[in-house]
Amino acid sequence: MTVPPGSGTALFTDRYELTMVAAALAEGAAHRQCVFELFARRLPDGRRYGVVAGTGRLLEALSEFRFGPADLQLLARVVDADTLDWLRDYRFTGDVDGYPEGELYFPGSPVLTVSGTFADVVLLETLALSIYNHDSAIASAAARMVTASAGRPLIEMGSRRTHEEAAVAAARAAYLGGFATTSNLAAGSRYGIPTAGTAAHSWILLHDDELSAFRSQVAALGTGTTLLVDTYDIRRGIEHAIEAAGTGLGAVRIDSGDLGELARQAREQLDALGATGTRIVLSGDLDEYAIASLRAEPVDSYGVGTSLVTGSGAPTAGMVYKLVEVDGRPVSKRSSAKESRGGRKSALRRFKPTGTAVEEVVHPHGTAPAAGPHDRVLPVPLVRGGAVVDGAADLGAARERLRAALVAVPWEGLKLSRGEPAIPTTFHTE
Amino acid sequence: MTVPPGSGTALFTDRYELTMVAAALAEGAAHRQCVFELFARRLPDGRRYGVVAGTGRLLEALSEFRFGPADLQLLARVVDADTLDWLRDYRFTGDVDGYPEGELYFPGSPVLTVSGTFADVVLLETLALSIYNHDSAIASAAARMVTASAGRPLIEMGSRRTHEEAAVAAARAAYLGGFATTSNLAAGSRYGIPTAGTAAHSWILLHDDELSAFRSQVAALGTGTTLLVDTYDIRRGIEHAIEAAGTGLGAVRIDSGDLGELARQAREQLDALGATGTRIVLSGDLDEYAIASLRAEPVDSYGVGTSLVTGSGAPTAGMVYKLVEVDGRPVSKRSSAKESRGGRKSALRRFKPTGTAVEEVVHPHGTAPAAGPHDRVLPVPLVRGGAVVDGAADLGAARERLRAALVAVPWEGLKLSRGEPAIPTTFHTE
């Protein structure tokens, strides 16, 4: 297959991965069998769980990880000719195991295990971390918001607050996290996520008055549409909305002010006008705490933007990608505070007979501790000999997996307040 | 020109922009002449200035903003057939004026002004905001780090902590902000930014011992390379480094521990070994405050990752895109706290004869206040009739512009501590 210049994912890579490959090829160490592990040393401050996300995107990016002609031209300034030849033919041919997408993770969970020659595997470091650190940060924030919303649907509408490509990945991670829809059309196109939208204040301001704006929107989009009622006076806005659409109006959106108080007033007013089926959509700087505080109010759905796409205070998951094994020998860094555990690892999660999770057990690969009937081995095969395992990238399955995993979290683990991880991680040694 | 399916930038757009266009086409309001303004209501908490970034990327994305066949197929589920026909031929044919890239902005600065028909201009809302909110957030953080580094070069190495495409834009914004180099190869390829890199701990762990790892790196990459000395014991690491490379070694990197103390010890040891020209590179969770605290230490350069790509606490610039004028008539939202100033605006910055900035004056377009000989009109033409103005996307010029703009900031405005904007914004009315 010919790769068009610069269209692949191989340059989403730190320069030092390439110079390490060059040096390793020169001396021969490039071909040593290595295992790298992707994991989080800790959760973001006070968080009680993390959500594994990005698996599907990584597996897709892996198949496009090729050095095309334009890439090689650039790299001629970075590495020697022998390395260029090696890169020209590069395909990942190793194995990947990992927590399936949508699974929970805790400090030290071996989220991803990548095996192959040093050169094969080190090249994927930057891309794998970029994808997992971004997507897991967003999915973890999304899951908290979904918990806070107590069953009311959430619309992801944060595209404008983050990089345009990150926005598409954020919409995907939010959907994985339980959001109902996204405003992002590219996410709809690429991942089949349901899209949704209302109207902007500019729509109202474009018209001579609010009533004309509403009439025009209803004429074009039907009475099921959502009218934005807070451009001028909300009470008048709701009157105009029902005047334009009738009592069958789909929804009104309120984007500013004291949202709880305004929702109550809007509900009363709508009901008094006979629009008892018209829903109320709230938006405007909502995060999981604001959503939780609106639980008692007559809200039908929430639009969430900034806080979702910025991970609600934790914009990166802080995962690392560490060499843990060389030719079957465990290796680890030994200086200072950032100590790592050497050796390839696996993990299982222990559950009570009631289905509640109690412990994450991380253990050396191949020496699994006795597992009870309710316990679950966490890593699954994702890539074998460079080929993606069937079903490993299924977004719908990941969404369902997370929903089920959260049901099994002890109730304290779902609290929004800062605290310890929902379950402890126990490290077994050989 | 034929657009390959889905390769353009047009789907980086919220669904409601498209449904508003559909409704506006149906009633005719789509063709009203409109002016939208992109601006920040406030700076991130405690920040004293913002850096305009993303202009070059937006102008490039604008030329690829076309709805291709695959896009239209998706949009057939969102809008009617007439709208699809209109989208098929869509090219932005309006005008864009704005602060040049690299210029400073303050609350209310009219950073970008987009003029054309409603349909033409509203479609760009999401993409313009995504690019400006991301890139300006990163460039603003970068500029603070560069100030804190007091002339020592900074290496951007945060790719692994953010979305893989956002990483490339972040490297660009960091370079604009004054960073010397980036680890990101795609940024080197796309924008010609100088790339740099050292080696990872995995490089050391791949080898039987540290000395072999260093020898192999020096053999392949030369004595000018940077050796990572903190995998085991730093003092032994430096001994090994000089043993492997000789006293002509380029640099050592320390990535963990008490960086100031370790830099002092390393400098003493290197000097005692005769490696007086070997540089010391520090990395490991550095932000502008950590960099400033290392000012008295013998550090030669810094590697910065997480804090850079996450905007050091402000991952989005919080800019908005608001309709301010319809057919020459000023418009603005009137409810609640989020009030806006209607009407197309321009701005000038006032300076003392010494060159120090004193005030940002935002005024109605076409009614400029008297400008002194030292004052500067801020917006420049960026796009005319859909065509990008020559030189508007020059990254090198933007970098130089920011450097000059920061020289003119009052000294309190460069403090890292939280405070008021470096200069006040004054709003003139007609």
Side-chain angles (χ1 to χ4, degrees):
Chain A
M1 196 188 83
T2 326
V3 181
S7 74
T9 57
L11 289 193
F12 294 137
T13 300
D14 287 323
R15 179 185 166 115
Y16 81 174
E17 322 286 7
L18 276 291
T19 52
M20 286 191 284
V21 166
L25 285 170
E27 59 159 337
H31 309 295
R32 292 191 185 161
Q33 284 296 315
C34 287
V35 179
F36 280 75
E37 210 174 80
L38 186 149
F39 64 98
R41 289 202 174 88
R42 65 196 76 83
L43 298 176
D45 200 20
R47 290 284 179 89
R48 295 164 188 257
Y49 62 85
V51 175
V52 174
T55 317
R57 293 212 309 118
L58 177 64
L59 297 177
E60 196 181 322
L62 206 57
S63 69
E64 296 159 16
F65 199 97
R66 308 261 196 284
F67 294 91
D71 302 337
L72 293 166
Q73 205 177 326
L74 171 89
L75 294 175
R77 284 175 277 155
V78 175
V79 296
D80 59 289
D82 287 351
T83 305
L84 284 181
D85 283 343
W86 185 88
L87 292 173
R88 188 172 289 115
D89 297 329
Y90 178 78
R91 304 282 183 277
F92 179 71
T93 56
D95 292 344
V96 182
D97 295 81
Y99 282 34
E101 190 162 20
E103 185 53 272
L104 303 180
Y105 71 88
F106 298 96
S109 296
V111 168
L112 210 65
T113 303
V114 188
S115 330
T117 68
F118 176 76
D120 265 8
V121 177
V122 79
L123 271 187
L124 304 181
E125 173 168 15
T126 312
L127 181 62
L129 284 172
S130 287
I131 291 176
Y132 272 73
N133 274 326
H134 176 268
D135 292 14
S136 300
I138 308 300
S140 300
R144 285 160 57 86
M145 294 170 186
V146 170
T147 297
S149 75
R152 293 160 178 175
L154 296 167
I155 311 168
E156 187 283 305
M157 43 170 72
S159 297
R160 61 188 57 195
R161 304 290 185 215
T162 188
H163 182 280
E164 65 278 16
E165 275 287 354
V168 186
R172 181 184 180 280
Y175 184 69
L176 193 169
F179 273 53
T181 51
T182 178
S183 65
N184 189 291
L185 290 169
S189 171
R190 284 190 212 167
Y191 303 117
I193 301 169
T195 58
T198 60
H201 293 112
S202 64
W203 175 253
I204 313 296
L205 296 175
L206 172 67
H207 294 83
D208 296 334
D209 55 70
E210 194 178 47
L211 185 57
S212 331
F214 289 166
R215 284 201 163 121
S216 163
Q217 186 176 335
V218 170
L221 306 175
T223 53
T225 195
T226 301
L227 297 174
L228 177 62
V229 296
D230 73 340
T231 305
Y232 305 113
D233 174 81
I234 294 176
R235 199 163 181 86
R236 294 295 306 281
I238 290 174
E239 283 170 19
H240 289 151
I242 301 303
E243 191 176 339
T247 54
L249 174 63
V252 296
R253 175 160 79 105
I254 303 173
D255 186 49
S256 51
D258 178 342
L259 294 175
E261 176 60 27
L262 293 172
R264 272 197 302 279
Q265 291 176 6
R267 184 73 273 155
E268 266 182 35
Q269 188 184 353
L270 286 167
D271 288 349
L273 291 167
T276 53
T278 299
R279 285 166 288 113
I280 296 174
V281 183
L282 298 186
S283 59
D285 294 328
L286 292 175
D287 61 13
E288 62 270 46
Y289 306 104
I291 292 168
S293 76
L294 291 163
R295 201 171 289 189
E297 310 301 344
V299 186
D300 296 283
S301 63
Y302 300 98
V304 185
T306 307
S307 67
L308 185 276
V309 298
T310 59
S312 199
T316 182
M319 291 177 180
V320 295
Y321 186 85
K322 293 292 167 190
L323 178 61
V324 294
E325 204 169 284
V326 179
D327 286 337
R329 169 178 59 89
V331 297
S332 66
K333 186 168 176 292
R334 281 202 310 270
S335 74
S336 85
K338 285 192 194 167
E339 212 163 329
S340 299
R341 290 173 184 82
R344 180 173 178 172
K345 291 174 271 306
S346 186
L348 60 83
R349 190 166 298 152
R350 295 200 189 278
F351 294 84
K352 288 187 197 171
T354 57
T356 303
V358 290
E359 186 187 22
E360 187 93 338
V361 179
V362 178
H363 59 85
H365 182 68
T367 65
H374 306 287
D375 299 344
R376 185 163 81 238
V377 174
L378 292 161
V380 298
L382 298 171
V383 175
R384 281 295 172 262
V388 174
V389 170
D390 277 354
D394 185 330
L395 178 60
R399 182 174 151 97
E400 181 47 37
R401 186 175 295 118
L402 173 61
R403 204 199 53 72
L406 285 171
V407 169
V409 166
W411 72 269
E412 314 85 36
L414 296 178
K415 285 162 70 176
L416 298 179
S417 57
R418 289 163 185 269
E420 295 302 309
I423 57 173
T425 306
T426 307
F427 296 93
H428 286 203
T429 48
E430 287 187 82
Chain B
M1 198 185 83
T2 327
V3 181
S7 74
T9 56
L11 289 194
F12 294 137
T13 300
D14 287 323
R15 179 185 166 114
Y16 79 175
E17 322 286 7
L18 276 290
T19 51
M20 285 192 285
V21 166
L25 285 170
E27 59 160 338
H31 308 295
R32 290 191 185 161
Q33 284 296 313
C34 287
V35 179
F36 279 75
E37 210 172 81
L38 186 149
F39 64 99
R41 290 201 173 90
R42 67 196 75 85
L43 298 176
D45 201 19
R47 290 285 180 88
R48 294 165 189 256
Y49 61 84
V51 174
V52 174
T55 318
R57 292 212 309 117
L58 176 63
L59 296 178
E60 196 182 320
L62 205 56
S63 70
E64 296 157 18
F65 198 97
R66 309 261 196 282
F67 294 90
D71 302 337
L72 293 166
Q73 206 177 324
L74 171 89
L75 294 175
R77 282 176 278 156
V78 177
V79 297
D80 58 291
D82 287 350
T83 305
L84 283 181
D85 283 343
W86 185 87
L87 292 173
R88 188 172 290 115
D89 297 329
Y90 178 77
R91 305 284 183 276
F92 178 71
T93 55
D95 293 343
V96 182
D97 295 80
Y99 281 36
E101 190 162 19
E103 185 54 270
L104 304 179
Y105 70 87
F106 299 95
S109 296
V111 167
L112 210 64
T113 304
V114 187
S115 330
T117 67
F118 176 76
D120 266 7
V121 177
V122 79
L123 272 188
L124 303 181
E125 172 168 17
T126 312
L127 181 62
L129 284 172
S130 287
I131 292 177
Y132 272 73
N133 274 326
H134 177 268
D135 292 14
S136 300
I138 309 300
S140 300
R144 286 161 56 87
M145 294 170 187
V146 170
T147 297
S149 75
R152 293 161 178 173
L154 296 168
I155 311 168
E156 187 282 307
M157 42 172 73
S159 298
R160 62 189 55 195
R161 304 291 184 215
T162 187
H163 182 280
E164 66 277 16
E165 275 287 354
V168 187
R172 181 185 181 280
Y175 185 69
L176 193 170
F179 273 53
T181 52
T182 179
S183 65
N184 188 292
L185 289 168
S189 170
R190 281 191 213 167
Y191 303 117
I193 300 171
T195 58
T198 61
H201 292 112
S202 64
W203 175 252
I204 313 296
L205 297 174
L206 172 66
H207 294 83
D208 296 333
D209 55 69
E210 194 178 47
L211 186 57
S212 333
F214 288 167
R215 284 201 164 120
S216 163
Q217 186 176 336
V218 170
L221 306 175
T223 53
T225 195
T226 300
L227 296 175
L228 178 60
V229 295
D230 73 341
T231 304
Y232 304 113
D233 174 83
I234 294 177
R235 197 162 181 87
R236 292 295 308 280
I238 291 175
E239 282 169 19
H240 289 152
I242 301 302
E243 191 176 340
T247 53
L249 173 62
V252 295
R253 176 160 79 106
I254 303 172
D255 186 50
S256 51
D258 177 343
L259 294 175
E261 177 60 26
L262 293 171
R264 271 197 303 279
Q265 291 174 6
R267 184 73 271 157
E268 265 182 36
Q269 188 184 354
L270 286 168
D271 289 349
L273 291 167
T276 53
T278 299
R279 284 165 288 113
I280 296 173
V281 184
L282 298 186
S283 59
D285 294 328
L286 293 174
D287 61 11
E288 62 268 46
Y289 306 105
I291 292 168
S293 75
L294 291 163
R295 201 171 289 189
E297 309 301 344
V299 187
D300 295 284
S301 63
Y302 301 98
V304 185
T306 307
S307 67
L308 186 275
V309 299
T310 58
S312 198
T316 182
M319 291 177 180
V320 294
Y321 186 85
K322 292 293 168 189
L323 178 60
V324 294
E325 205 171 285
V326 179
D327 287 338
R329 169 179 60 90
V331 296
S332 65
K333 184 169 176 293
R334 279 201 312 268
S335 75
S336 85
K338 284 192 195 169
E339 210 163 331
S340 299
R341 288 172 187 83
R344 178 173 180 173
K345 291 174 269 311
S346 186
L348 61 83
R349 191 166 296 151
R350 295 198 188 278
F351 294 85
K352 288 186 197 171
T354 56
T356 303
V358 290
E359 186 187 22
E360 188 93 338
V361 180
V362 178
H363 59 84
H365 182 69
T367 64
H374 306 286
D375 299 345
R376 187 164 78 238
V377 174
L378 292 161
V380 298
L382 297 172
V383 174
R384 282 293 172 267
V388 174
V389 171
D390 278 353
D394 185 331
L395 178 59
R399 183 173 150 96
E400 179 49 36
R401 185 175 295 117
L402 173 60
R403 203 198 55 72
L406 285 171
V407 169
V409 167
W411 72 268
E412 314 87 36
L414 296 178
K415 285 162 71 174
L416 298 179
S417 56
R418 288 164 183 268
E420 296 301 309
I423 57 173
T425 305
T426 307
F427 296 92
H428 286 202
T429 48
E430 289 187 83

